[in-house]
Structures are given as structure tokens and as C-alpha cells.
Amino acid sequence: MAAPIGHIISALALLNSAPEISNRNEFIAGTSFPDIRYVSDISRKATHYSEDHSLAYVLRTESSFEAGRRFHVFIDHEREKFMRAHDAYRFIKNTSLKTQLLKMVEDEILYPQFKNKINSKEIFSKIYLEEMGYGLSLASINSWHTVLKKYLDDSHWFNISRYYCSLKEFKKVYARSHELFGNFWSGIRTIGFLLYAYVQIVRLTHNEELREIVLKFYNQQLPKRIKEELEHRKSVVLEQVQRPVFWKQKLFNAS
């Protein structure tokens, strides 16, 4: 399971190779959609369903948004398989949030590649028709879009301020009587936790072996996988087109 920047970096890799995806922004919105479950009551099963884990399935739809949603599931599957094969979780110790922390580390490593690549405010300032088909409230959709705009905002000088703004937005979603920033002291504790978590993320991003694993997946393994799948898809389509011609020629020769 990748985090938002990992998913968008992956989406850009496919967009550069698959001209049949007609709307770039809708595809990116779609690939960012499934994790809306973090700010709503919708289940992971509802947003991550897939008939199979192939690019042929991803592209077998006329909706760029739906293709993006399917690609999100494809990436989750491919990335998890790769990270486990390379034992990437061994670098993260003494925490029950290994999966979440590794995803954040990946995004921190990938951030320089992501910066200035998309206009997140433009993409997530509208609600897409497909989002409404999941029975989600407008409030949930708008909350998720706002979280993404804060998290993907590349105008910050320091990444920690970007994380802080995202965390504040999550606080609005999960506002309770014991609010995360309900008073001065809880605010201090939250900032302390944020600093601690960010220090751990930065420390792990400087682990050369882990960096190599992360960059190998996103910059080598994934583009290779995309190329192989698209070439296979093209050969299957070509075979289907040529098959009627072959049989017509065979019948003509027989007569």
C-alpha cells in the first residue's frame, strides 16, 4: 500500500506510457481516491475492489477516474509484493505502525521527484461524478480533497510544515470533545509527537539500503512492469485484429 505521493509518482509513470487515458487530472484524482476511507466510514473493500491485478483491467474502462482507482489497487499489490520480497519492513523497529511509517518514508524519499509535477489545487478543487457513486457525503469528499491539497502542497520550504498542516486538517475531520489541539498542552503534546515522528521518517530516509529499495521499485521495477504489461496488451490486441484476416485468407486459399 503506497501513500499519496507514491501513488501519484506511479500514476505519472503510466500516463507517460498510456495515451489512451484521456484525462490526466481525472486519472490522478481517481488514483488518489481509494484511501478516502481514512476520513470516512467507507470500507477498504469498497474502494479497493479489483477483478484482477493487471494493467489490462486498469485500462478496460472509458473513465479516466475509474482507471485511476483501479491503478491504485494495482500499485498497492505490486508495491507490497516488492517491499516484502526485499524485506523493507526490517528497517522499521519498535512500532505497531510499520506499514504507515514505511509509506511516509517512501513519500519523503520521492518528494523531490514529485515537486512541481502536478497542480494539486486544481485537481482536488472539484468533486468527480464517480466519487458520488460510493454513497459518500459531500463533507467526506471535500475533507479528503482538502487533506490531499494540504499534504501535496509543494510551496512549503520545509516538509515538516506540510505534515503539520495535513495533521491539522485530519484534526478537523476527527474533532471530538477531546480534540487533538483542544488546548495549549494537548497542542504541545501533538507537536512533540509530530516532531518525533518526523525525526524517525528523516532518519529512515537517510538509510541508503532502504532508499535503494524504494527508488528501485518506483524508478526501475514499476516502469519495467508497466512496459511489459503494455507490450503484452498490445500484442493481444494485435492478435485479435489479425485473427479474422488469417481465417479469411485460409478460407480463400482453400477455395
Side-chain angles (χ1 to χ4, degrees), residues 92 95 97-105 197 201 204:
I92 302 172
T95 176
L97 301 174
K98 285 188 174 185
T99 300
Q100 292 81 359
L101 187 55
L102 180 57
K103 291 194 293 185
M104 300 303 291
V105 170
I201 290 170
L204 287 164

Side-chain angles (χ1 to χ4, degrees), residues 7-246:
H7 274 296
I8 291 173
I9 288 288
S10 302
L12 293 173
L14 181 59
L15 284 167
N16 290 334
S17 306
E20 57 263 57
I21 299 172
S22 59
N23 192 304
R24 182 177 185 268
N25 282 2
E26 287 183 10
F27 183 78
I28 292 172
T31 211
S32 304
F33 168 75
D35 289 335
I36 194 172
R37 63 196 180 90
Y38 290 126
V39 299
S40 70
D41 294 329
I42 197 168
S43 68
R44 186 179 192 278
K45 184 178 180 180
T47 60
H48 287 69
Y49 69 90
S50 179
E51 292 180 9
D52 63 52
H53 298 296
S54 70
L55 278 185
Y57 172 68
V58 169
L59 299 172
R60 199 161 56 240
T61 175
E62 294 183 2
S63 165
S64 296
F65 184 98
E66 172 60 12
R69 187 203 66 79
R70 295 180 182 188
F71 190 61
H72 177 109
V73 183
F74 172 85
I75 290 300
D76 276 356
H77 178 263
E78 292 296 318
R79 174 215 166 261
E80 187 67 11
K81 185 170 61 175
F82 184 89
M83 293 303 167
R84 291 197 177 279
H86 290 77
D87 199 17
Y89 291 102
R90 74 183 186 274
F91 298 101
I92 302 172
K93 307 182 188 303
N94 303 322
T95 176
S96 60
L97 301 174
K98 285 188 174 185
T99 300
Q100 292 81 359
L101 187 55
L102 180 57
K103 291 194 293 185
M104 300 303 291
V105 170
E106 289 173 37
D107 271 14
E108 185 75 9
I109 291 171
L110 294 169
Y111 186 74
Q113 294 181 213
F114 163 79
K115 196 169 184 179
N116 300 321
K117 288 294 194 301
I118 68 166
N119 185 335
S120 58
K121 290 181 181 178
E122 178 183 316
I123 294 170
F124 298 107
S125 290
K126 62 173 287 187
I127 291 177
Y128 298 86
L129 182 63
E130 290 88 345
E131 292 177 297
M132 299 300 297
Y134 285 82
L136 293 158
S137 67
L138 285 175
S140 292
I141 297 171
N142 281 322
S143 292
W144 180 235
H145 286 195
T146 303
V147 167
L148 287 171
K149 282 187 286 186
K150 297 287 186 183
Y151 183 74
L152 300 171
D153 183 358
D154 56 14
S155 66
H156 294 275
W157 282 29
F158 302 102
N159 276 344
I160 191 169
S161 65
R162 182 169 57 84
Y163 287 122
Y164 181 70
C165 290
S166 304
L167 187 62
K168 284 204 300 182
E169 199 57 42
F170 268 113
K171 169 260 178 183
K172 293 178 185 176
V173 177
Y174 290 110
R176 300 286 192 274
S177 58
H178 54 286
E179 290 183 352
L180 191 60
F181 294 89
N183 56 57
F184 175 78
W185 290 111
S186 67
I188 292 295
R189 285 195 297 271
T190 301
I191 292 170
F193 173 77
L194 175 65
L195 287 170
Y196 170 78
Y198 187 69
V199 166
Q200 300 309 307
I201 290 170
V202 171
R203 178 182 63 80
L204 287 164
T205 62
H206 287 87
N207 183 302
E208 290 301 323
E209 192 175 354
L210 180 56
R211 285 183 65 86
E212 183 179 352
I213 291 171
V214 171
L215 293 174
K216 184 176 181 180
F217 173 72
Y218 288 97
N219 294 343
Q220 297 178 37
Q221 176 65 20
L222 179 60
K224 179 183 176 184
R225 182 88 165 86
I226 289 173
K227 182 180 178 181
E228 290 172 350
E229 286 248 3
L230 290 179
E231 287 178 350
H232 174 70
R233 180 171 178 267
K234 188 183 297 184
S235 66
V236 169
V237 171
L238 186 61
E239 182 182 341
Q240 291 173 343
V241 170
Q242 291 177 337
R243 190 175 297 160
V245 175
F246 170 78

